[in-house]
Amino acid sequence: MTNHWNDIQHADAILIMGSNPAENHPISFKWVNEARTKRGAKLIVVDPRFTRSAATADIYARLRPGTDIAFLGAVINYAIEKNRIHEEYVKNYTDAAYIVNPAFQGATDLDGLFSGLTGAKYDKATWAYEMDENGIPKQDLTLQDPLCVYQLLKKHYSRYTIKKVSDITGCDAADLEAVCETYTATCKPELSGTIMYAMGTTQHTYGSQNVRAFAVLQLLLGNIGNAGGGINALRGESNVQGSTDHGALFHILTGYLKYPKANQPTLAVYNEQNTPKNKDPKSLNWWGNTPKYMASLMKAWWRDADLETAYSYLPKIDDGKNYSYLPIYSAMANGEIKGMFVWGMNPAVGAPSSKMIRKAIAQLDWMVCVDLWETETSAFWQKEAGVNPADIKTEVFLLPAASSMEKEGSISNSGRWCQWRYKAIDPVGHAEDDLWIINQIVNRTKALYAKEGGAFPDPIANLTWNYGKVGLDGKIHPPSPREVAKEINGYFIAEKEIEDKAKGEIKKFKPGDIVPSFAMLQDDGSTVCGCWVYAGSIDDKGENKMMKRDPADPTGLGMFPNWSWSWPVNRRIVYNRASVNVEGKPFSKEKPVLWWSPLKKAWLGDIPDGNGDPDAILPFIMVPHGRGMLFAAGMSDGPFPEHYEPLESVVKNTLSNSQVSPVITRWDEKAKEETCNPILAAGCIAALYGSEEAKEFPTICSTYRVSEHWQTGQMTRWIPWLNELVPNQFVEMSEEFAREHGITFGDKVKLTSARNVEGITAYAMITKRLKPFRIQGKDIHMVGITWHFGYKGLATGGNANDLTPFIGDPNTMIPEYKAFLVKVEKA
Amino acid sequence: MAEYIKLIDVTKCTGCRGCQVACKQWNSLPAVDTMFTGSLQNPKDLNYNTWCLIRFDEVEKDGKLNWLMRHDACMHCETPACAKACPSPGALTKNENGSVVHNPAYCIGCRSCIVACPFDIPRNDKALEKMAKCSLCHDRIDDGKKPACVTACPTGCLTFGTKEEMLKAAEKRAEKVKGVIYPANPHYETHVMYILPGTVGVEDFSHMNPHPKMPATLYWWKNLFKPFTLIGIAGVAGAAFLHYIIKGPHRVHEKKEGGE
Amino acid sequence: MSAHGDMIKVTDGIERVVHWILAGSCLFCLITGIGFMYHSWSFIATFLGGPYAMKWMHIFSGLAFAASFVYSFFMWKKDCQFEPQDLQWVLKGGGYLWSVKDLPPVYKYNAGQKAFFWILVACAIVIIASGVVMLNPLYYPVVMARFAYMLHAGAVVLLGAFIVVHIYLGTAGNPGTVSAMLTGYVSRAWCETHCPRWLADRDSWKPGGEKDVA
């Protein structure tokens, strides 16, 4: 989230789209209720289904799954057409005025495509700003130049009229207009609108562009950096924010540092390629500090090696490859991967095309599962999985893990609040916490390397491991999460004098001193820091700020600066310098996040996002030019979000003749190749528009969650009280669909897809909350199913992901779980 | 001792069932074997081991879809019909704080309470021959806590406080959301009240009594027939005694021996 | 002379057994019913082993009442048919309220007894039917079940009052009567007073007839 949970109460309009917080974040949903009760905020819910969130909404608008970009396009077009923009904000804080390379051509000119398409990739040379002689983008502050971002944006979105979008999305024109009218009303400087989104936005073929569309809208309305605004991702697990912060994603190191590639053989090259350059003195270009963060990370992991040697210990990603979910399981199916650790995860149920995934897992030599329960993944070789155990050669280990109450550590929530948690009770039986387990693995591996040598022992042998060491007695001591937290925060390992420009003083540090903030991190190896965004989470006395529980709220805006600790540097709302004008006066007098005190010559309120006098720096410090990007050249599929149909669709794209984006990885085409592994061939088939498969599987299907179960159901389907509430898998369908298919209450239905003709069965839930979509004069139906069920647990049921496709967003590889095709028949 | 009211603001309910599970946890009630019911409602009805239940209704009205979710549990009536009907002293007790509490030690399983309840709340176990229902967590209230369901409710749909506080809050909220307070019968007060959305009627909610009151038959039974039974018996016995001492017994005149 | 002297047999063994089952179960139901109806009288349950035990006793006693009632109905309904002169008897208070000279001669049972029989029948049907509903009240529509509880109580009011009258008139109020239900025999004088026409009928039997008694 750019903002945080408590902040939702300050919104004047709340757009819930691609999420269902009343269902999946029921406790935090109270902040939505606060906004409505306390300030009469309007709640807008946009969802293909009338969800629990929709049940309380002021405005509910339906949209066909996979048409979010079109829907948002209508809202953006409405804002531009009716001049519902926060002009001062747009001119000063976004790239609206920047001039773009005249060779750039957008979707309006190129029938849904952008300039530079070569094969299945875009050459982004034309997606660039025109620079002046100082290396700063040229601007037209009148926003009239046809080459300025604003005019290009306007041209791009001019095609997204209410009528057109209504026909694409199946949303009633009146409802669409109501959403546009209500939400864009927050363009007024003193008002704010917040967008709450989750997997309904991201788990799509074009998920990243869905979020990008939110960014464009919020920037136009001036809704980023203020209280009650922001783009707020509702994270789906209690510490997924923490896990991505600490690098548990395929493409990053800790703190979102980019993962090194094979064509970056040295740290110097890595730094050169990954450190954005900026000539504008007003732009802090914070990623310009990459070398400092990278150096500190290298030192955290290999203290005794020099920086280049340390860097050489990092595995590199082969050119042109990525190791996201889809390629990993593809490689696994091909037998290229020998073993896998499955740590607190259940891909046998949660992965797309999960039947294929289970077959891929069967190609492993070994698998170690660390979990609280015997999950579908750890039991993939059992009869319940529908296989013959004798046919599976994989050696499976199940290490029992401690639950969250049985271990100490930190949890970082959606709002970036990092909260320390304590151990309440000991784990049962042989279960141990994750830190203990990994500590055992590292120490034993080090010992094995020391004893037996190996192909390249150095990265492990030289790994600095200051917690849970082997004692004099030869036993491995349990590690302390507090020691780990200290290393993550960082400390000095050499004497250093650093000038604090803001305070005009010299700070002296000696080895062992805590790094007070990432501003003090060095690129010369004198600092250690496990994750730069967490620098500052430990104070200079060594006390862990994540443990703080002081309920004082000086601004009265629910920021609670001394309750836990938020990154970065305890800032609660990021980009908050965009909440004030160039004189430092807040746009909203009623709910000011930040304001400049000319007397104190300092910022009051939240921690400012970038120190310095008003107008001295630009608010969007994480992008090179310091201004919020309406034109995002970093996206692989286009600088502006463009509507394409999902890969599996029964609807022709009527916005352009480009049915799908040309840059998505086409696993379905790879599946058709002769050399393709049969496991992949079966599991990657896609029901493309106009294909035989689309005729056979004509119904849109979407997967989602219910309050009562969680994720793949492994934490909830062993609990009788929860199974009592939702005992069986069920498929939601409209009354019209049920009638057409002769399905009545009590019936079970069978769902099949192009990848799974055996299908799964589930009860039919016939409801008024789903209705057919009227698209191009025809009724298109959708059904919905939870992905909570599998074959292990006290309650079992059909696994929804056995049906889902193997498609990944071109930017993040996140799979398409929300808009694919199935066939529904009475079982 | 203060009188309390549990207020249920249906306009805030998201049907999460936190209240259902919290109730089970506090009262150590086991999960019941359930099957798909056609909606998210599960179990389908209150039962001996399920003392509160979220009921779901999909109602289309004035072109708008309403997905109604309502926490259904004992209304803790001021003059509880169940306690009135109950033949076994101590099995159902009305407390000063407003709660109506069942005590299985005294329950004989006759089910009069279930028949009498205007809201059809108490449920029984046939084999155990006992009834059970929400107790308003009277043990928690006595300890200064709120009922488990109220404590668990994440949206503030369920609130709990003194009668004065809650009646004021209910009025304020009902006005704000243009809703109605239930029950609206001044002659039948309850210690559990609802704020219902104004866009639907009471009749749109399943298992909700549009005219909550003491059943007339119960009134006749307990307020008329009951006193008249003893009055009748005692009265007639008295009259018989009076007859005996005033008119005297009807003696038969026996013929002397030797006759006939 | 018989072992009973010149006493007349007015009831046979079956009548007496059935009557006492009926009366006994009725009184037991009444007492246990009072123990349920009035919480202040719940001490009755203590004597019987607790309210749960009393519930089942009430039920079994009720079943006995129902069975004996059905038999009683068929047994006595013939002799309880009303005849025109019954009205006269009623208007004269049966001689119980003031001295009356010419009471219409009763056959077996006077109008009062007949009235008691039919009131018993009416009440018993209501009490038994409502009792059956109360055995498994949830099997029936709730309105019906609620009426069952009310009518059960209502019928008891009526029946209870009449039973008191019946007991009085069967014992203290009419000396010499109770033996009719104990030994089965009453005196000839008693019969001449209370059932003269039946006596005359009996006397006109030829010897060897069924009704001859020893």
Side-chain angles (χ1 to χ4, degrees):
Chain A
M1 283 187 176
T2 54
N3 295 48
H4 56 94
W5 277 115
N6 300 43
D7 181 70
I8 308 277
Q9 65 182 307
H10 302 302
D12 298 290
I14 301 171
L15 174 60
I16 289 176
M17 182 169 173
S19 67
N20 186 5
E23 181 94 53
N24 301 312
H25 296 84
I27 296 176
S28 305
F29 191 71
K30 76 168 176 228
W31 294 114
V32 173
N33 280 334
E34 281 289 289
R36 305 178 71 196
T37 315
K38 293 238 168 84
R39 52 191 306 114
K42 290 276 175 287
L43 176 59
I44 303 165
V45 172
V46 179
D47 201 291
R49 305 177 304 131
F50 189 93
T51 59
R52 271 162 157 150
S53 301
T56 68
D58 295 300
I59 300 173
Y60 165 65
R62 299 167 62 239
L63 88 167
R64 178 168 59 96
T67 61
D68 303 59
I69 292 172
F71 192 99
L72 289 164
V75 186
I76 292 169
N77 187 37
Y78 188 96
I80 296 174
E81 293 276 307
K82 302 217 188 270
N83 205 31
R84 289 250 182 133
I85 63 165
H86 183 167
E87 203 175 315
E88 197 183 333
Y89 184 106
V90 168
K91 282 192 173 154
N92 286 305
Y93 299 148
T94 74
D95 64 354
Y98 287 5
I99 309 292
V100 172
N101 185 328
F104 170 76
Q105 285 187 291
T108 315
D109 307 311
L110 295 180
D111 197 19
L113 302 174
F114 299 91
S115 49
L117 181 63
T118 10
K121 217 168 129 90
Y122 277 111
D123 172 354
K124 300 190 216 168
T126 57
W127 305 3
Y129 304 128
E130 287 278 274
M131 300 297 188
D132 67 13
E133 60 281 2
N134 296 318
I136 298 173
K138 289 187 188 159
Q139 290 192 71
D140 169 25
L141 285 166
T142 66
L143 303 185
Q144 293 307 308
D145 190 325
L147 286 176
C148 79
V149 168
Y150 189 74
Q151 289 300 326
L152 290 172
L153 188 77
K154 182 170 177 177
K155 186 161 137 188
H156 180 87
Y157 281 106
S158 61
R159 297 168 294 142
Y160 292 76
T161 60
I162 299 268
K163 188 168 182 299
K164 185 96 210 150
V165 171
S166 173
D167 192 51
I168 292 173
T169 60
C171 179
D172 202 48
D175 292 338
L176 182 53
E177 189 139 7
V179 173
C180 292
E181 164 63 41
T182 308
Y183 196 70
T184 59
T186 62
C187 64
K188 287 204 176 64
E190 63 271 15
L191 299 179
S192 54
T194 185
I195 297 183
M196 299 171 71
Y197 76 95
M199 302 297 103
T201 294
T202 59
Q203 283 176 345
H204 280 285
T205 313
Y206 314 109
S208 309
Q209 291 287 11
N210 286 345
V211 185
R212 190 92 266 294
F214 286 146
V216 169
L217 179 60
Q218 291 290 66
L219 285 171
L220 289 174
L221 299 174
N223 277 337
I224 300 196
N226 54 358
I231 296 181
N232 295 310
L234 315 181
R235 309 302 309 247
E237 297 85 9
S238 61
N239 195 25
V240 62
Q241 180 66 53
S243 76
T244 57
D245 293 343
H246 294 293
L249 279 179
F250 67 93
H251 65 306
I252 53 170
L253 292 167
T254 67
Y256 304 97
L257 288 164
K258 301 245 180 335
Y259 203 90
K261 299 197 178 80
N263 60 18
Q264 296 162 344
T266 63
L267 183 58
V269 173
Y270 171 92
N271 282 335
E272 167 59 36
Q273 290 190 9
N274 283 309
T275 308
K277 315 241 177 335
N278 158 64
K279 298 243 170 67
D280 188 342
K282 282 174 81 170
S283 172
L284 287 184
N285 181 27
W286 206 259
W287 276 116
N289 292 304
T290 298
K292 300 179 187 167
Y293 307 146
M294 200 52 185
S296 303
L297 178 62
M298 292 299 99
K299 277 296 178 183
W301 291 356
W302 295 284
R303 171 88 61 84
D304 302 324
D306 63 81
L307 291 173
E308 282 294 351
T309 311
Y311 180 81
S312 75
Y313 292 156
L314 275 176
K316 312 291 186 294
I317 301 181
D318 289 335
D319 296 338
K321 286 211 184 219
N322 76 70
Y323 299 131
S324 60
Y325 229 42
L326 309 185
I328 284 179
Y329 287 105
S330 169
M332 207 181 288
N334 286 327
E336 290 161 28
I337 298 182
K338 297 282 167 253
M340 173 163 76
F341 278 87
V342 180
W343 215 293
M345 237 196 116
N346 195 11
V349 175
S353 193
S354 50
K355 206 170 162 128
M356 181 183 85
I357 300 301
R358 295 195 294 276
K359 290 203 177 107
I361 292 175
Q363 308 307 310
L364 293 168
D365 289 352
W366 56 265
M367 177 173 70
V368 177
C369 290
V370 183
D371 219 303
L372 275 69
W373 313 99
E374 188 180 28
T375 63
E376 281 83 2
T377 303
S378 57
F380 83 96
W381 50 272
Q382 293 176 3
K383 275 207 318 280
E384 290 101 311
V387 296
N388 179 3
D391 296 337
I392 310 287
K393 305 286 176 284
T394 315
E395 192 176 2
V396 179
F397 301 85
L398 176 57
L399 301 181
S403 78
S404 51
M405 310 287 165
E406 297 161 345
K407 56 191 178 185
E408 182 171 331
S410 70
I411 283 190
S412 304
N413 75 4
S414 302
R416 293 167 286 103
W417 290 27
C418 312
Q419 308 172 63
W420 198 259
R421 301 288 178 85
Y422 300 92
K423 181 174 169 175
I425 49 171
D426 285 327
V428 281
H430 292 202
E432 298 285 356
D433 64 72
D434 303 295
L435 186 55
W436 186 95
I437 295 174
I438 198 140
N439 184 51
Q440 289 282 325
I441 293 172
V442 170
N443 277 296
R444 285 166 195 250
T445 313
K446 276 176 178 270
L448 274 174
Y449 266 132
K451 190 161 137 213
E452 298 173 11
F456 184 36
D458 302 39
I460 303 286
N462 299 341
L463 188 64
T464 307
W465 197 259
N466 288 329
Y467 18 80
K469 293 210 264 244
V470 181
L472 291 170
D473 55 359
K475 287 213 175 102
I476 302 170
H477 286 223
S480 161
R482 299 182 193 203
E483 284 301 309
V484 179
K486 194 167 148 211
E487 185 183 274
I488 286 173
N489 177 88
Y491 46 88
F492 284 86
I493 51 175
E495 279 192 16
K496 208 70 193 169
E497 283 185 13
I498 300 170
E499 190 196 349
D500 185 341
K501 291 206 181 76
K503 294 195 183 143
E505 54 187 39
I506 309 271
K507 277 198 158 84
K508 288 200 172 111
F509 295 100
K510 56 184 194 308
D513 280 351
I514 289 286
V515 165
S517 103
F518 46 65
M520 308 286 165
L521 292 174
Q522 302 297 311
D523 60 7
D524 60 4
S526 56
T527 51
V528 156
C529 177
C531 180
W532 71 272
V533 293
Y534 280 70
S537 58
I538 312 269
D539 72 16
D540 50 14
K541 291 185 206 60
E543 275 174 36
N544 189 333
K545 293 182 197 165
M546 298 185 256
M547 293 178 178
K548 284 184 168 187
R549 294 290 184 269
D550 179 358
D553 185 31
T555 62
L557 285 181
M559 291 202 278
F560 300 103
N562 291 312
W563 186 283
S564 76
W565 179 87
S566 72
W567 67 260
V569 293
N570 207 26
R571 183 172 302 130
R572 300 283 153 146
I573 297 178
V574 295
Y575 310 123
N576 54 25
R577 286 195 59 152
S579 70
V580 299
N581 65 14
V582 294
E583 288 156 24
K585 288 208 183 72
F587 285 121
S588 169
K589 287 198 190 60
E590 186 223 337
K591 39 190 181 172
V593 174
L594 199 65
W595 59 96
W596 175 253
S597 160
L599 211 66
K600 294 199 177 126
K601 283 213 176 278
W603 292 97
L604 301 175
D606 194 13
I607 313 277
D609 208 342
N611 255 311
D613 294 0
D615 206 27
I617 61 152
L618 293 164
F620 288 86
I621 68 171
M622 298 308 288
V623 297
H625 303 295
R627 292 194 161 89
M629 296 187 296
L630 296 164
F631 183 89
M635 303 297 280
S636 59
D637 46 352
F640 294 133
E642 169 73 0
H643 166 74
Y644 304 103
E645 283 290 321
L647 191 61
E648 291 204 324
S649 179
V650 288
V651 176
K652 188 170 192 313
N653 186 359
T654 51
L655 193 67
S656 73
N657 289 309
S658 306
Q659 179 71 13
V660 297
S661 167
V663 302
I664 51 183
T665 311
R666 298 296 297 265
W667 296 98
D668 61 304
E669 280 170 6
K670 291 191 186 179
K672 293 200 186 101
E673 286 166 18
E674 289 230 346
T675 51
C676 183
N677 183 318
I679 295 172
L680 289 177
C684 291
I685 302 173
L688 306 173
Y689 173 73
S691 66
E692 282 306 307
E693 285 88 5
K695 281 202 191 73
E696 207 192 325
F697 304 100
T699 306
I700 302 174
C701 185
S702 207
T703 64
Y704 52 80
R705 312 167 199 209
V706 289
S707 297
E708 296 81 1
H709 282 299
W710 192 71
Q711 314 298 63
T712 61
Q714 272 307 305
M715 295 293 280
T716 56
R717 279 185 293 105
W718 294 97
I719 299 173
W721 283 330
L722 294 174
N723 288 333
E724 180 188 57
L725 303 175
V726 179
N728 308 102
Q729 179 62 290
F730 60 92
V731 181
E732 286 188 327
M733 60 184 68
S734 65
E735 292 178 332
E736 293 84 347
F737 184 83
R739 233 176 286 129
E740 263 176 48
H741 289 73
I743 298 168
T744 52
F745 164 63
D747 284 344
K748 274 198 167 157
V749 289
K750 184 166 90 155
L751 267 71
T752 50
S753 76
R755 296 152 290 285
N756 187 347
V757 293
E758 284 136 31
I760 61 170
T761 51
Y763 282 100
M765 183 187 278
I766 303 164
T767 170
K768 293 178 169 64
R769 293 174 291 105
L770 267 70
K771 296 247 187 299
F773 299 99
R774 194 92 194 141
I775 312 283
Q776 294 161 29
K778 277 200 346 224
D779 270 348
I780 308 285
H781 291 283
M782 82 165 277
V783 295
I785 185 169
T786 80
W787 56 285
H788 295 306
F789 284 86
Y791 46 81
K792 290 299 280 189
L794 293 177
T796 57
N799 178 350
N801 276 316
D802 279 356
L803 305 166
T804 49
F806 210 64
I807 301 165
D809 166 288
N811 293 288
T812 60
M813 302 297 127
I814 191 165
E816 169 73 78
Y817 290 111
K818 304 287 176 178
F820 57 97
L821 295 179
V822 295
K823 176 162 75 177
V824 183
E825 40 193 350
K826 216 163 139 170
Chain B
M1 149 98 57
E3 274 183 66
Y4 293 100
I5 282 183
K6 173 173 125 181
L7 183 62
I8 303 168
D9 183 354
V10 168
T11 66
K12 283 191 176 164
C13 180
T14 55
C16 72
R17 266 85 77 73
C19 53
Q20 270 185 235
V21 178
C23 174
K24 294 227 171 192
Q25 193 182 36
W26 179 256
N27 294 297
S28 301
L29 300 170
V32 169
D33 240 330
T34 52
M35 283 298 286
F36 180 70
T37 63
S39 78
L40 288 173
Q41 188 167 319
N42 236 323
K44 187 122 175 74
D45 188 21
L46 294 164
N47 57 57
Y48 184 73
N49 284 317
T50 303
W51 297 357
C52 70
L53 176 68
I54 300 289
R55 293 186 186 269
F56 292 84
D57 294 293
E58 294 175 11
V59 175
E60 262 159 345
K61 237 177 169 160
D62 303 323
K64 208 172 170 247
L65 177 62
N66 295 278
W67 195 13
L68 307 173
M69 300 167 215
R70 179 179 76 91
H71 170 103
D72 189 27
C74 177
M75 296 293 284
H76 295 280
C77 307
E78 177 61 19
T79 48
C82 57
K84 200 176 174 75
C86 178
S88 180
L92 280 164
T93 312
K94 163 105 189 126
N95 295 315
E96 270 176 53
N97 60 24
S99 59
V100 178
V101 179
H102 69 283
N103 189 338
Y106 299 107
C107 176
I108 64 173
C110 71
R111 291 151 284 171
S112 313
C113 55
I114 304 178
V115 170
C117 177
F119 305 99
D120 184 35
I121 293 296
R123 292 286 183 271
N124 68 316
D125 182 306
K126 256 205 126 166
L128 291 175
E129 286 184 88
K130 298 282 178 201
M131 64 71 76
K133 65 174 193 65
C134 160
S135 63
L136 204 59
C137 281
H138 68 105
D139 44 352
R140 289 176 65 94
I141 302 176
D142 283 346
D143 203 40
K145 295 186 175 60
K146 299 188 182 185
C149 56
V150 175
T151 308
C153 179
T155 59
C157 160
L158 300 177
T159 50
F160 184 82
T162 63
K163 190 168 158 183
E164 299 78 43
E165 275 170 14
M166 291 290 103
L167 287 175
K168 245 192 248 147
E171 256 188 67
K172 209 166 146 219
R173 177 71 185 167
E175 205 194 303
K176 189 171 179 133
V177 299
K178 300 194 186 57
V180 291
I181 296 180
Y182 174 98
N185 181 353
H187 302 296
Y188 198 78
E189 280 181 22
T190 56
H191 288 265
V192 173
M193 299 181 75
Y194 287 88
I195 295 168
L196 304 177
T199 49
V200 291
V202 179
E203 63 282 357
D204 294 309
F205 288 90
S206 56
H207 200 252
M208 201 166 198
N209 186 348
H211 306 292
K213 58 179 170 48
M214 174 82 66
T217 50
L218 182 64
Y219 179 82
W220 276 74
W221 171 19
K222 294 288 184 171
N223 290 47
L224 296 173
F225 297 156
K226 177 169 161 177
F228 271 102
T229 307
L230 274 187
I231 289 170
I233 290 172
V236 172
F241 178 70
L242 282 174
H243 178 270
Y244 187 82
I245 61 174
I246 296 174
K247 177 82 176 44
H250 183 177
R251 288 189 195 281
V252 163
H253 298 290
E254 302 284 346
K255 292 208 168 68
K256 297 280 190 272
E257 282 294 331
E260 184 57 66
Chain C
M1 283 291 162
S2 70
H4 299 273
D6 60 354
M7 300 282 270
I8 310 284
K9 189 175 189 189
V10 287
T11 60
D12 64 24
I14 292 181
E15 278 181 276
R16 277 172 271 139
V17 168
V18 171
H19 169 267
W20 284 114
I21 292 175
L22 187 68
S25 62
C26 185
L27 284 175
F28 190 75
C29 277
L30 190 60
I31 291 167
T32 51
I34 282 171
F36 284 130
M37 173 92 109
Y38 303 92
H39 284 192
S40 45
W41 290 65
S42 61
F43 64 84
I44 292 172
T46 316
F47 287 109
L48 295 174
Y52 175 72
M54 190 161 87
K55 170 181 105 164
W56 282 107
M57 290 178 190
H58 187 89
I59 290 170
F60 279 107
S61 177
L63 291 174
F65 178 78
S68 57
F69 163 71
V70 171
Y71 197 99
S72 303
F73 175 74
F74 289 104
M75 191 160 61
W76 287 318
K77 74 176 173 90
K78 187 160 159 284
D79 281 333
C80 287
Q81 298 298 317
F82 283 106
E83 45 187 0
Q85 66 168 46
D86 284 323
L87 184 59
Q88 285 282 319
W89 189 96
V90 170
L91 291 174
K92 292 187 173 179
Y96 288 98
L97 300 175
W98 57 87
S99 303
V100 167
K101 288 227 183 75
D102 309 300
L103 265 183
V106 173
Y107 189 78
K108 188 80 189 286
Y109 300 114
N110 64 45
Q113 286 169 305
K114 289 180 186 175
F116 172 62
F117 174 80
W118 290 109
I119 283 171
L120 168 68
V121 167
C123 287
I125 287 172
V126 171
I127 286 173
I128 290 164
S130 58
V132 165
V133 172
M134 287 156 78
L135 261 184
N136 270 307
L138 305 181
Y139 287 12
Y140 308 91
V142 69
V143 178
M144 183 170 156
R146 286 181 184 160
F147 266 96
Y149 284 89
M150 182 189 83
L151 294 172
H152 198 84
V156 167
V157 176
L158 193 58
L159 188 61
F162 272 84
I163 282 171
V164 175
V165 174
H166 171 77
I167 291 172
Y168 174 62
L169 293 175
T171 53
N174 283 300
T177 305
V178 73
S179 59
M181 268 303 164
L182 293 177
T183 61
Y185 288 86
V186 291
S187 67
R188 174 165 281 274
W190 190 95
C191 286
E192 280 164 4
T193 310
H194 292 286
C195 47
R197 280 162 49 214
W198 176 85
L199 185 63
D201 236 9
R202 178 191 173 278
D203 284 345
S204 67
W205 271 101
K206 294 288 180 277
E210 269 186 25
K211 286 250 168 147
D212 203 2
V213 287

